[in-house]
Amino acid sequence: AQKITQTQPGMFVQEKEAVTLDCTYDTSDQSYGLFWYKQPSSGEMIFLIYQGSYDEQNATEGRYSLNFQKARKSANLVISASQLGDSAMYFCAMSYFGNEKLTFGTGTRLTIIP
Amino acid sequence: DGGITQSPKYLFRKEGQNVTLSCEQNLNHDAMYWYRQDPGQGLRLIYYSQIVNDFQKGDIAEGYSVSREKKESFPLTVTSAQKNPTAFYLCASSMRRGNEAFFGQGTRLTVV
């Protein structure tokens, strides 16, 4: 069974600085996908970025990038030039190819300081 | 606009009562999911369905039931057998062999 670990319960970052949110995963399967979601205080889950286990390049989506280190089973989210609107809970998640149910980590609460 | 609609947004239930949470999607997605989120915790999978008229238990299915009679709809019933039903419930859908899941806005259930 897959397991997702997020070791940072909370982080405070100065506006305009870059921030890295940590995520490690445990699986013996070779075919899987890794996801990051943002959850503002309103509660909705907003998809940010996806990385497939066979993707050779790190995924990027605007200010978001995923630092994928397969051998270390690590999938850290990097947010460049943080903004006040980035303050939210961030969840790392994983699924296997062919079975799209997601397993989530416990999340990191990010607070951007003006 | 395509998306997932959950209703109601807030729901109050008396102990011992069953209650049904609605989830409808118009994204033509095959797979649908129900997650539970408790304060300060991640999401835990209750039930999921990859095709109409078929569904599987997730990690915390006890005290819950679902149906999938239509592709667009995946209602969740919280039964009186669920010992601690107060939580935030999120519905999601995805292509069966796609990537990201799309989420509804959630239903906050409180037992009074």
Side-chain angles (χ1 to χ4, degrees):
Chain A
Q2 67 259 52
K3 183 180 178 182
I4 300 288
T5 301
Q6 294 180 254
T7 57
Q8 306 153 310
M11 288 187 69
F12 291 85
V13 173
Q14 204 75 37
E15 189 180 7
K16 298 181 185 175
E17 289 186 351
V19 57
T20 297
L21 304 181
D22 294 340
C23 173
T24 57
Y25 59 93
D26 185 18
T27 183
S28 56
D29 205 286
Q30 296 300 311
S31 303
Y32 52 87
L34 296 154
F35 304 78
W36 277 93
Y37 283 85
K38 173 183 178 181
Q39 187 180 40
S41 57
S42 58
E44 64 192 292
M45 296 288 283
I46 301 168
F47 166 74
L48 296 178
I49 197 165
Y50 165 82
Q51 180 87 40
S53 59
Y54 295 111
D55 295 341
E56 295 185 352
Q57 303 241 354
N58 286 344
T60 60
E61 289 285 350
R63 293 188 299 114
Y64 304 107
S65 61
L66 199 152
N67 184 2
F68 181 47
Q69 298 186 46
K70 193 170 182 177
R72 297 181 61 186
K73 295 185 178 177
S74 167
N76 297 342
L77 177 71
V78 180
I79 306 174
S80 64
S82 58
Q83 303 170 356
L84 295 178
D86 293 333
S87 293
M89 283 289 290
Y90 288 81
F91 291 97
C92 181
M94 179 178 179
S95 70
Y96 292 120
F97 291 176
N99 185 342
E100 285 68 33
K101 61 174 184 170
L102 291 165
T103 297
F104 286 83
T106 51
T108 296
R109 181 171 296 281
L110 175 65
T111 303
I112 306 299
I113 306 167
Chain B
D1 286 335
I4 300 178
T5 302
Q6 287 187 245
S7 62
K9 190 172 182 180
Y10 298 96
L11 189 58
F12 296 88
R13 186 196 98 176
K14 291 184 179 179
E15 280 193 29
Q17 285 183 337
N18 293 353
V19 63
T20 298
L21 282 59
S22 170
C23 178
E24 303 276 335
Q25 56 100 357
N26 60 3
L27 299 166
N28 200 33
H29 284 169
D30 291 311
M32 296 187 74
Y33 316 83
W34 275 105
Y35 291 90
R36 169 181 171 141
Q37 186 177 27
D38 293 288
Q41 297 190 30
L43 280 66
R44 292 182 291 167
L45 183 65
I46 305 172
Y47 268 99
Y48 66 103
S49 168
Q50 294 183 308
I51 198 168
V52 174
N53 292 323
D54 187 48
F55 47 83
Q56 288 80 40
K57 292 182 179 179
D59 301 318
I60 55 166
E62 185 175 350
Y64 300 97
S65 66
V66 294
S67 63
R68 187 86 187 275
E69 297 176 1
K70 299 186 300 181
K71 188 175 184 177
E72 304 80 19
S73 179
F74 192 41
L76 173 74
T77 296
V78 184
T79 75
S80 56
Q82 169 50 235
K83 301 300 181 193
N84 185 20
T86 295
F88 187 55
Y89 292 88
L90 283 157
C91 178
S93 71
S94 69
M95 293 297 291
R96 191 171 180 189
R97 286 180 172 81
N99 293 337
E100 78 248 38
F102 292 83
F103 284 80
Q105 302 239 331
T107 293
R108 194 167 299 278
L109 172 65
T110 303
V111 173
V112 298

